[in-house]
Short mmCIF file of all heavy atoms in Angstrom, two decimals:
data_model
loop_
_atom_site.label_atom_id
_atom_site.label_comp_id
_atom_site.label_asym_id
_atom_site.label_seq_id
_atom_site.Cartn_x
_atom_site.Cartn_y
_atom_site.Cartn_z
N TYR A 104 71.81 181.74 124.60
CA TYR A 104 73.07 182.02 123.86
C TYR A 104 72.70 182.72 122.63
O TYR A 104 71.42 182.72 122.16
CB TYR A 104 73.78 180.75 123.47
CG TYR A 104 73.12 179.82 122.44
CD1 TYR A 104 73.38 179.93 121.15
CD2 TYR A 104 72.26 178.81 123.00
CE1 TYR A 104 72.67 179.17 120.18
CE2 TYR A 104 71.64 178.05 121.99
CZ TYR A 104 71.86 178.15 120.56
OH TYR A 104 71.18 177.37 119.69
N ASP A 105 73.57 183.56 122.06
CA ASP A 105 73.41 184.42 120.77
C ASP A 105 74.03 183.52 119.63
O ASP A 105 75.19 183.19 119.66
CB ASP A 105 74.15 185.61 121.02
CG ASP A 105 74.05 186.64 119.84
OD1 ASP A 105 73.45 186.22 118.79
OD2 ASP A 105 74.55 187.76 119.91
N VAL A 106 73.13 183.27 118.61
CA VAL A 106 73.60 182.60 117.43
C VAL A 106 74.71 183.24 116.73
O VAL A 106 75.49 182.63 115.89
CB VAL A 106 72.50 182.17 116.45
CG1 VAL A 106 71.39 181.40 117.20
CG2 VAL A 106 71.89 183.48 115.91
N THR A 107 74.99 184.54 116.99
CA THR A 107 75.98 185.38 116.33
C THR A 107 77.36 185.37 117.15
O THR A 107 78.31 186.01 116.68
CB THR A 107 75.59 186.75 115.93
OG1 THR A 107 75.27 187.57 117.11
CG2 THR A 107 74.30 186.72 115.16
N ASP A 108 77.25 184.75 118.36
CA ASP A 108 78.32 184.84 119.27
C ASP A 108 78.78 183.36 119.66
O ASP A 108 78.07 182.83 120.62
CB ASP A 108 78.07 185.78 120.46
CG ASP A 108 79.19 185.80 121.43
OD1 ASP A 108 80.34 185.25 121.16
OD2 ASP A 108 79.02 186.39 122.45
N ILE A 109 79.75 182.73 119.19
CA ILE A 109 80.10 181.46 119.52
C ILE A 109 80.42 181.32 120.97
O ILE A 109 80.32 180.22 121.59
CB ILE A 109 81.19 180.83 118.59
CG1 ILE A 109 81.23 179.31 118.66
CG2 ILE A 109 82.55 181.47 118.91
CD1 ILE A 109 82.16 178.81 117.57
N TYR A 110 81.04 182.23 121.55
CA TYR A 110 81.45 182.16 123.00
C TYR A 110 80.16 181.98 123.73
O TYR A 110 80.32 181.28 124.90
CB TYR A 110 82.17 183.53 123.35
CG TYR A 110 82.47 183.61 124.88
CD1 TYR A 110 83.42 182.90 125.53
CD2 TYR A 110 81.60 184.44 125.66
CE1 TYR A 110 83.67 183.12 126.88
CE2 TYR A 110 81.87 184.57 127.06
CZ TYR A 110 82.92 183.85 127.61
OH TYR A 110 83.01 183.88 128.98
N SER A 111 79.15 182.59 123.50
CA SER A 111 77.92 182.56 124.38
C SER A 111 77.40 181.20 124.52
O SER A 111 76.72 180.81 125.59
CB SER A 111 76.86 183.46 123.84
OG SER A 111 76.31 183.01 122.47
N ILE A 112 77.63 180.28 123.51
CA ILE A 112 77.18 178.88 123.66
C ILE A 112 78.20 178.04 124.31
O ILE A 112 77.87 177.05 125.07
CB ILE A 112 76.84 178.35 122.31
CG1 ILE A 112 75.97 176.94 122.50
CG2 ILE A 112 78.04 178.03 121.41
CD1 ILE A 112 75.45 176.38 121.29
N GLU A 113 79.50 178.43 124.29
CA GLU A 113 80.54 177.65 124.98
C GLU A 113 80.65 177.69 126.44
O GLU A 113 81.14 176.85 127.14
CB GLU A 113 81.91 178.17 124.31
CG GLU A 113 82.14 177.80 122.93
CD GLU A 113 83.55 178.28 122.33
OE1 GLU A 113 84.10 179.12 123.11
OE2 GLU A 113 83.94 177.82 121.34
N VAL A 114 79.89 178.79 127.04
CA VAL A 114 79.85 179.02 128.37
C VAL A 114 78.63 178.42 129.00
O VAL A 114 78.55 178.30 130.32
CB VAL A 114 80.04 180.54 128.82
CG1 VAL A 114 81.39 181.09 128.35
CG2 VAL A 114 78.86 181.34 128.12
N ILE A 115 77.69 177.95 128.31
CA ILE A 115 76.50 177.35 128.77
C ILE A 115 76.74 176.27 129.73
O ILE A 115 76.23 176.15 130.83
CB ILE A 115 75.53 176.93 127.53
CG1 ILE A 115 75.00 178.18 126.78
CG2 ILE A 115 74.42 176.06 128.17
CD1 ILE A 115 74.11 178.97 127.50
N PRO A 116 77.77 175.18 129.41
CA PRO A 116 77.96 174.10 130.33
C PRO A 116 78.36 174.58 131.70
O PRO A 116 78.14 174.07 132.86
CB PRO A 116 78.99 173.33 129.66
CG PRO A 116 78.80 173.49 128.26
CD PRO A 116 78.33 175.02 128.11
N ASN A 117 79.15 175.77 131.75
CA ASN A 117 79.50 176.26 133.02
C ASN A 117 78.41 176.80 133.89
O ASN A 117 78.33 176.62 135.09
CB ASN A 117 80.52 177.40 132.80
CG ASN A 117 81.85 176.97 132.14
OD1 ASN A 117 82.24 175.85 132.30
ND2 ASN A 117 82.57 177.84 131.35
N TYR A 118 77.48 177.49 133.28
CA TYR A 118 76.18 177.98 133.95
C TYR A 118 75.47 176.81 134.43
O TYR A 118 74.96 176.76 135.59
CB TYR A 118 75.34 178.72 132.96
CG TYR A 118 75.95 180.01 132.60
CD1 TYR A 118 75.97 180.57 131.25
CD2 TYR A 118 76.55 180.98 133.46
CE1 TYR A 118 76.42 181.74 130.94
CE2 TYR A 118 77.02 182.18 133.13
CZ TYR A 118 76.98 182.58 131.73
OH TYR A 118 77.60 183.89 131.39
N ILE A 119 75.26 175.78 133.68
CA ILE A 119 74.49 174.65 134.06
C ILE A 119 75.09 173.89 135.14
O ILE A 119 74.42 173.45 136.21
CB ILE A 119 74.29 173.61 132.86
CG1 ILE A 119 73.50 174.28 131.69
CG2 ILE A 119 73.71 172.30 133.35
CD1 ILE A 119 73.30 173.57 130.48
N LYS A 120 76.43 173.79 135.17
CA LYS A 120 77.10 172.98 136.32
C LYS A 120 76.97 173.81 137.65
O LYS A 120 76.73 173.32 138.70
CB LYS A 120 78.67 172.98 135.98
CG LYS A 120 79.43 172.34 137.04
CD LYS A 120 80.93 172.13 136.65
CE LYS A 120 81.72 171.46 137.66
NZ LYS A 120 83.12 171.26 137.25
N PHE A 121 77.08 175.20 137.41
CA PHE A 121 76.78 176.07 138.62
C PHE A 121 75.42 175.88 139.33
O PHE A 121 75.20 175.64 140.49
CB PHE A 121 76.97 177.56 138.27
CG PHE A 121 76.86 178.42 139.37
CD1 PHE A 121 77.98 178.82 140.14
CD2 PHE A 121 75.62 179.02 139.79
CE1 PHE A 121 77.92 179.76 141.17
CE2 PHE A 121 75.54 179.98 140.78
CZ PHE A 121 76.70 180.37 141.52
N ILE A 122 74.35 175.84 138.47
CA ILE A 122 73.03 175.63 138.85
C ILE A 122 72.84 174.30 139.48
O ILE A 122 72.14 174.07 140.49
CB ILE A 122 71.96 175.92 137.66
CG1 ILE A 122 72.08 177.31 137.22
CG2 ILE A 122 70.61 175.44 138.10
CD1 ILE A 122 71.68 178.31 138.16
N ASN A 123 73.38 173.16 138.75
CA ASN A 123 73.19 171.87 139.38
C ASN A 123 73.76 171.72 140.76
O ASN A 123 73.32 170.89 141.56
CB ASN A 123 73.87 170.83 138.38
CG ASN A 123 73.09 170.60 137.10
OD1 ASN A 123 71.82 170.80 137.17
ND2 ASN A 123 73.64 170.06 136.16
N ASN A 124 74.94 172.37 141.05
CA ASN A 124 75.61 172.36 142.31
C ASN A 124 74.76 173.15 143.34
O ASN A 124 74.80 172.95 144.57
CB ASN A 124 77.03 172.91 142.29
CG ASN A 124 77.90 171.99 141.43
OD1 ASN A 124 77.68 170.89 141.45
ND2 ASN A 124 78.93 172.52 140.84
N LEU A 125 73.91 174.19 142.83
CA LEU A 125 73.25 175.03 143.75
C LEU A 125 71.72 174.50 144.06
O LEU A 125 71.24 174.58 145.13
CB LEU A 125 73.04 176.41 143.11
CG LEU A 125 72.29 177.51 143.95
CD1 LEU A 125 73.04 177.74 145.24
CD2 LEU A 125 72.17 178.72 143.01
N ILE A 126 71.12 173.95 142.98
CA ILE A 126 69.73 173.64 143.15
C ILE A 126 69.55 172.20 142.94
O ILE A 126 70.09 171.60 141.99
CB ILE A 126 68.85 174.41 142.13
CG1 ILE A 126 69.02 175.94 142.35
CG2 ILE A 126 67.29 174.05 142.35
CD1 ILE A 126 68.36 176.78 141.27
N HIS A 127 68.76 171.38 143.74
CA HIS A 127 68.66 170.00 143.68
C HIS A 127 67.12 169.71 143.59
O HIS A 127 66.80 168.62 143.99
CB HIS A 127 69.34 169.26 144.74
CG HIS A 127 70.77 169.64 144.95
ND1 HIS A 127 71.81 169.10 144.08
CD2 HIS A 127 71.48 170.47 145.81
CE1 HIS A 127 72.92 169.66 144.37
NE2 HIS A 127 72.76 170.43 145.48
N ARG A 128 66.32 170.50 143.10
CA ARG A 128 64.82 170.19 143.04
C ARG A 128 64.52 169.51 141.83
O ARG A 128 64.99 169.77 140.69
CB ARG A 128 64.00 171.59 143.16
CG ARG A 128 64.15 172.31 144.44
CD ARG A 128 63.01 173.19 144.66
NE ARG A 128 62.41 173.82 143.41
CZ ARG A 128 62.90 174.85 142.83
NH1 ARG A 128 63.87 175.45 143.41
NH2 ARG A 128 62.41 175.25 141.72
N LYS A 129 63.65 168.48 141.89
CA LYS A 129 63.24 167.72 140.80
C LYS A 129 62.23 168.52 139.95
O LYS A 129 62.04 168.19 138.75
CB LYS A 129 62.60 166.32 141.33
CG LYS A 129 63.65 165.38 141.91
CD LYS A 129 63.02 164.09 142.30
CE LYS A 129 64.11 163.13 142.91
NZ LYS A 129 63.57 161.84 143.27
N ASP A 130 61.56 169.47 140.51
CA ASP A 130 60.50 170.18 139.81
C ASP A 130 61.07 171.33 139.00
O ASP A 130 60.31 172.06 138.35
CB ASP A 130 59.35 170.59 140.63
CG ASP A 130 59.86 171.48 141.87
OD1 ASP A 130 61.13 171.66 141.98
OD2 ASP A 130 59.03 172.07 142.63
N LEU A 131 62.29 171.57 139.01
CA LEU A 131 62.95 172.62 138.29
C LEU A 131 63.05 172.27 136.82
O LEU A 131 63.40 171.22 136.55
CB LEU A 131 64.41 172.95 138.84
CG LEU A 131 65.16 174.07 138.13
CD1 LEU A 131 64.45 175.45 138.24
CD2 LEU A 131 66.56 174.10 138.64
N GLN A 132 62.53 173.28 135.99
CA GLN A 132 62.51 172.93 134.53
C GLN A 132 63.50 173.91 133.98
O GLN A 132 63.62 175.14 134.05
CB GLN A 132 61.20 173.32 133.95
CG GLN A 132 60.05 172.42 134.47
CD GLN A 132 60.26 170.91 134.05
OE1 GLN A 132 60.74 170.58 132.89
NE2 GLN A 132 60.28 169.93 135.09
N CYS A 133 64.47 173.33 132.94
CA CYS A 133 65.42 174.18 132.30
C CYS A 133 65.34 173.88 130.87
O CYS A 133 65.02 172.78 130.40
CB CYS A 133 66.73 173.82 132.80
SG CYS A 133 66.99 174.03 134.64
N CYS A 134 65.76 174.88 130.00
CA CYS A 134 65.90 174.64 128.64
C CYS A 134 67.13 175.51 128.09
O CYS A 134 67.57 176.54 128.87
CB CYS A 134 64.67 174.97 127.95
SG CYS A 134 64.12 176.69 127.87
N ILE A 135 67.52 175.27 126.90
CA ILE A 135 68.51 176.24 126.28
C ILE A 135 67.96 176.92 125.07
O ILE A 135 67.27 176.22 124.13
CB ILE A 135 69.71 175.38 125.82
CG1 ILE A 135 70.29 174.64 127.11
CG2 ILE A 135 70.78 176.09 125.02
CD1 ILE A 135 71.47 173.56 126.66
N VAL A 136 68.16 178.21 124.99
CA VAL A 136 67.29 179.11 123.95
C VAL A 136 68.54 179.81 123.23
O VAL A 136 69.29 180.61 123.89
CB VAL A 136 66.48 179.97 124.60
CG1 VAL A 136 65.84 180.81 123.54
CG2 VAL A 136 65.39 179.20 125.31
N GLY A 137 68.49 179.66 121.77
CA GLY A 137 69.39 180.51 121.01
C GLY A 137 68.61 181.72 120.52
O GLY A 137 67.41 181.72 119.98
N THR A 138 69.13 182.88 120.57
CA THR A 138 68.42 184.17 120.11
C THR A 138 68.95 184.68 118.75
O THR A 138 69.99 184.19 118.36
CB THR A 138 68.39 185.18 121.23
OG1 THR A 138 69.83 185.51 121.46
CG2 THR A 138 67.78 184.65 122.47
N LYS A 139 68.27 185.71 118.28
CA LYS A 139 68.73 186.54 116.96
C LYS A 139 68.88 185.55 115.82
O LYS A 139 69.80 185.82 115.01
CB LYS A 139 70.05 187.13 117.41
CG LYS A 139 70.07 187.99 118.63
CD LYS A 139 71.44 188.64 118.86
CE LYS A 139 71.43 189.49 120.23
NZ LYS A 139 72.80 190.10 120.44
N THR A 140 67.91 184.71 115.54
CA THR A 140 67.85 183.91 114.43
C THR A 140 67.59 184.78 113.22
O THR A 140 67.69 184.32 112.15
CB THR A 140 66.86 182.76 114.44
OG1 THR A 140 65.53 183.25 114.79
CG2 THR A 140 67.35 181.80 115.56
N ASP A 141 67.13 185.95 113.26
CA ASP A 141 66.91 186.94 112.25
C ASP A 141 68.17 187.28 111.61
O ASP A 141 68.19 187.88 110.49
CB ASP A 141 66.01 188.16 112.69
CG ASP A 141 66.58 188.84 113.88
OD1 ASP A 141 66.66 188.27 114.99
OD2 ASP A 141 67.29 189.88 113.66
N LEU A 142 69.28 187.23 112.34
CA LEU A 142 70.59 187.59 111.71
C LEU A 142 71.38 186.39 111.32
O LEU A 142 72.48 186.17 111.70
CB LEU A 142 71.45 188.35 112.99
CG LEU A 142 70.78 189.51 113.56
CD1 LEU A 142 71.62 190.03 114.69
CD2 LEU A 142 70.51 190.61 112.52
N GLU A 143 70.67 185.66 110.40
CA GLU A 143 71.33 184.38 109.86
C GLU A 143 72.62 184.61 109.21
O GLU A 143 73.46 183.76 109.30
CB GLU A 143 70.23 183.81 108.89
CG GLU A 143 70.58 182.41 108.62
CD GLU A 143 70.58 181.31 109.78
OE1 GLU A 143 69.66 181.64 110.79
OE2 GLU A 143 71.26 180.39 109.82
N GLU A 144 72.73 185.72 108.56
CA GLU A 144 73.90 185.98 107.75
C GLU A 144 75.12 186.20 108.72
O GLU A 144 76.29 186.08 108.25
CB GLU A 144 73.80 187.15 106.93
CG GLU A 144 73.55 188.56 107.55
CD GLU A 144 72.25 188.82 108.16
OE1 GLU A 144 71.44 187.95 108.04
OE2 GLU A 144 72.14 189.93 108.76
N LYS A 145 74.90 186.61 109.94
CA LYS A 145 75.98 186.67 110.91
C LYS A 145 76.11 185.52 111.83
O LYS A 145 76.97 185.58 112.90
CB LYS A 145 75.70 187.98 111.81
CG LYS A 145 75.67 189.28 111.07
CD LYS A 145 75.46 190.45 111.91
CE LYS A 145 75.38 191.77 111.09
NZ LYS A 145 75.20 192.89 111.96
N ARG A 146 75.47 184.44 111.68
CA ARG A 146 75.50 183.28 112.53
C ARG A 146 76.88 182.71 112.59
O ARG A 146 77.48 182.43 111.56
CB ARG A 146 74.53 182.24 112.04
CG ARG A 146 74.59 180.91 112.87
CD ARG A 146 73.65 179.90 112.30
NE ARG A 146 72.29 180.10 112.61
CZ ARG A 146 71.70 179.51 113.64
NH1 ARG A 146 72.37 178.84 114.45
NH2 ARG A 146 70.29 179.79 113.79
N THR A 147 77.38 182.46 113.78
CA THR A 147 78.72 181.78 114.03
C THR A 147 78.39 180.40 114.77
O THR A 147 79.36 179.65 114.84
CB THR A 147 79.62 182.61 114.90
OG1 THR A 147 78.98 182.99 116.16
CG2 THR A 147 80.03 183.95 114.05
N VAL A 148 77.29 180.31 115.40
CA VAL A 148 77.01 179.04 116.09
C VAL A 148 76.18 178.17 115.07
O VAL A 148 75.12 178.34 114.70
CB VAL A 148 76.00 179.28 117.38
CG1 VAL A 148 75.58 177.96 117.97
CG2 VAL A 148 76.74 180.14 118.36
N GLY A 149 76.82 177.17 114.69
CA GLY A 149 76.37 176.19 113.69
C GLY A 149 75.79 174.86 114.37
O GLY A 149 75.80 174.81 115.53
N GLN A 150 75.36 173.96 113.44
CA GLN A 150 74.79 172.79 113.96
C GLN A 150 75.82 172.02 114.72
O GLN A 150 75.57 171.19 115.74
CB GLN A 150 74.28 171.93 112.82
CG GLN A 150 73.46 170.68 113.26
CD GLN A 150 72.17 171.13 114.00
OE1 GLN A 150 71.57 172.16 113.66
NE2 GLN A 150 71.91 170.33 115.09
N LYS A 151 77.15 172.07 114.36
CA LYS A 151 78.24 171.45 114.94
C LYS A 151 78.26 171.75 116.55
O LYS A 151 78.40 170.83 117.44
CB LYS A 151 79.56 171.71 114.38
CG LYS A 151 80.72 170.99 114.96
CD LYS A 151 81.95 171.29 114.21
CE LYS A 151 83.22 170.65 114.85
NZ LYS A 151 84.55 171.03 114.19
N GLN A 152 78.20 173.11 116.75
CA GLN A 152 78.33 173.54 118.20
C GLN A 152 77.01 173.06 118.97
O GLN A 152 77.18 172.65 120.15
CB GLN A 152 78.58 174.96 118.25
CG GLN A 152 79.90 175.58 117.87
CD GLN A 152 80.10 175.51 116.32
OE1 GLN A 152 79.07 175.60 115.60
NE2 GLN A 152 81.24 175.63 115.93
N VAL A 153 75.89 173.05 118.25
CA VAL A 153 74.65 172.69 119.04
C VAL A 153 74.75 171.16 119.32
O VAL A 153 74.44 170.92 120.43
CB VAL A 153 73.47 173.07 118.05
CG1 VAL A 153 72.22 172.48 118.58
CG2 VAL A 153 73.37 174.61 117.92
N ASP A 154 75.16 170.46 118.33
CA ASP A 154 75.22 168.96 118.58
C ASP A 154 76.15 168.68 119.68
O ASP A 154 76.01 167.65 120.55
CB ASP A 154 75.65 168.34 117.24
CG ASP A 154 74.54 168.33 116.30
OD1 ASP A 154 73.36 168.58 116.66
OD2 ASP A 154 74.88 168.11 114.97
N PHE A 155 77.36 169.39 119.73
CA PHE A 155 78.31 169.12 120.76
C PHE A 155 77.79 169.37 122.06
O PHE A 155 77.96 168.67 123.12
CB PHE A 155 79.62 169.98 120.45
CG PHE A 155 80.69 169.91 121.56
CD1 PHE A 155 81.52 168.70 121.56
CD2 PHE A 155 80.78 170.81 122.57
CE1 PHE A 155 82.44 168.50 122.54
CE2 PHE A 155 81.71 170.55 123.64
CZ PHE A 155 82.62 169.50 123.63
N LEU A 156 76.98 170.57 122.30
CA LEU A 156 76.33 170.81 123.51
C LEU A 156 75.28 169.82 123.81
O LEU A 156 75.16 169.50 124.95
CB LEU A 156 75.80 172.28 123.38
CG LEU A 156 75.11 172.87 124.65
CD1 LEU A 156 76.16 172.90 125.74
CD2 LEU A 156 74.53 174.12 124.48
N LYS A 157 74.65 169.40 122.92
CA LYS A 157 73.56 168.37 123.25
C LYS A 157 74.20 167.23 123.76
O LYS A 157 73.67 166.38 124.66
CB LYS A 157 72.70 168.11 121.92
CG LYS A 157 71.75 169.15 121.64
CD LYS A 157 70.97 168.77 120.43
CE LYS A 157 69.91 169.84 120.06
NZ LYS A 157 69.15 169.55 118.81
N GLU A 158 75.31 166.76 123.11
CA GLU A 158 76.01 165.47 123.50
C GLU A 158 76.62 165.64 124.91
O GLU A 158 76.56 164.74 125.72
CB GLU A 158 77.15 165.19 122.47
CG GLU A 158 77.78 163.89 122.81
CD GLU A 158 78.87 163.59 121.95
OE1 GLU A 158 79.00 164.24 120.79
OE2 GLU A 158 79.66 162.68 122.01
N THR A 159 77.14 166.89 125.21
CA THR A 159 77.71 167.20 126.53
C THR A 159 76.56 167.03 127.61
O THR A 159 76.78 166.62 128.79
CB THR A 159 78.35 168.54 126.56
OG1 THR A 159 79.31 168.69 125.62
CG2 THR A 159 78.91 168.91 127.91
N LEU A 160 75.33 167.46 127.30
CA LEU A 160 74.25 167.56 128.23
C LEU A 160 73.13 166.61 128.02
O LEU A 160 72.05 166.64 128.49
CB LEU A 160 73.58 168.96 128.22
CG LEU A 160 74.62 170.19 128.37
CD1 LEU A 160 73.78 171.51 128.11
CD2 LEU A 160 75.27 170.20 129.65
N GLN A 161 73.62 165.40 127.37
CA GLN A 161 72.64 164.45 127.08
C GLN A 161 71.91 163.82 128.30
O GLN A 161 70.70 163.36 128.12
CB GLN A 161 73.22 163.36 126.13
CG GLN A 161 74.33 162.61 126.87
CD GLN A 161 74.87 161.45 125.96
OE1 GLN A 161 74.30 161.13 124.97
NE2 GLN A 161 76.15 161.04 126.38
#
Side-chain angles (χ1 to χ4, degrees):
Y104 70 89
D105 179 357
V106 300
T107 66
D108 180 8
I109 195 170
Y110 169 78
S111 65
I112 195 172
E113 290 176 347
V114 297
I115 293 293
N117 296 333
Y118 292 134
I119 293 175
K120 182 178 180 180
F121 183 90
I122 295 301
N123 285 340
N124 291 332
L125 179 66
I126 305 174
H127 304 284
R128 294 199 330 271
K129 293 182 178 180
D130 60 348
L131 177 65
Q132 296 297 311
C133 300
C134 71
I135 298 173
V136 179
T138 60
K139 305 181 184 179
T140 56
D141 56 287
L142 301 176
E143 193 63 32
E144 69 281 1
K145 297 182 179 180
R146 175 187 284 270
T147 59
V148 177
Q150 191 62 39
K151 180 180 179 180
Q152 287 77 21
V153 173
D154 291 342
F155 178 79
L156 183 58
K157 287 182 178 180
E158 183 178 354
T159 304
L160 306 175
Q161 61 180 345

